[in-house]
Amino acid sequence: MSNGTTPSPLINGIWAVGTDVSRSAKLFRLAILAFAGTMLIALSAQLSVPMWPVPMTMQTFAVTIIGATYGWRLGGATVALYLAEGAIGLPVFAGGGSLASLAGPTAGYLFAFVAAAALVGALMEKGWGQSILKTTLAMVVGYVVIFAGGLAWLATFTGFEKALVAGLYPFMPGAAAKIALAVAILPMVGKLVQKLRK
């Protein structure tokens, strides 16, 4: 807890910076965390887990976990940096990386990643990470944002019914599995943070 009232991002318990450090040291910490986060998302985009009815990548899992652990400001900024890396051609997306990726049929999902990370981070900072039910709800909200943004944009290419068939239904089992995994992992991270703070 920060000031006994508001939970601070989990990452602060792992790598905290005191109030007496320089501004450059604080910026260095933020830069390292942001680039580490983009690397995690990029690696997760390439990781495919066999699952029915379609293989499951871990990209959305990484996005929501970063939001949950980094908080809304750094979480959202990290995912925005990830999109910028892809836009300049770094192979960080599941299909590589290019500016065209941010205008194609799946661009809605990518842009929604930023909103999802920030929203999950904000909910966790409001204390939603202190119970399994609220942690689950925070993750569900994150995935709803991702699917809503993705489907809204995909529907402009395919129509809404086809967007549901191509961009939602096959991915629902994987989303449920990733939410369950996040809910299992985050309390363990929280306990680790508490031990580090003692």
Side-chain angles (χ1 to χ4, degrees), residues 61-191:
F61 174 79
V63 166
T64 52
I65 286 291
I66 284 171
T69 56
Y70 278 18
W72 78 269
R73 291 182 183 85
L74 182 56
T78 296
V79 180
L81 177 61
Y82 167 73
L83 297 190
E85 290 172 350
I88 64 173
L90 296 179
V92 296
F93 300 148
S98 68
L99 189 58
S101 299
L102 299 180
T106 61
Y109 297 96
L110 294 172
F111 285 109
F113 286 171
V114 180
L119 183 55
V120 169
L123 292 174
M124 298 300 274
E125 288 184 40
K126 288 183 177 293
W128 284 42
Q130 296 176 347
S131 76
I132 291 177
L133 176 60
K134 286 188 174 181
T135 299
T136 303
L137 289 175
M139 293 296 116
V140 169
V141 167
Y143 278 86
V144 167
V145 168
I146 291 170
F147 281 120
L151 291 171
W153 181 252
L154 180 60
T156 64
F157 292 84
T158 66
F160 189 65
E161 291 297 327
K162 289 183 179 178
L164 291 174
V165 172
L168 176 63
Y169 300 148
F171 301 100
M172 291 180 70
K178 286 181 278 189
I179 289 170
L181 181 60
V183 171
I185 287 176
L186 285 170
M188 292 188 287
V189 175
K191 288 179 181 178

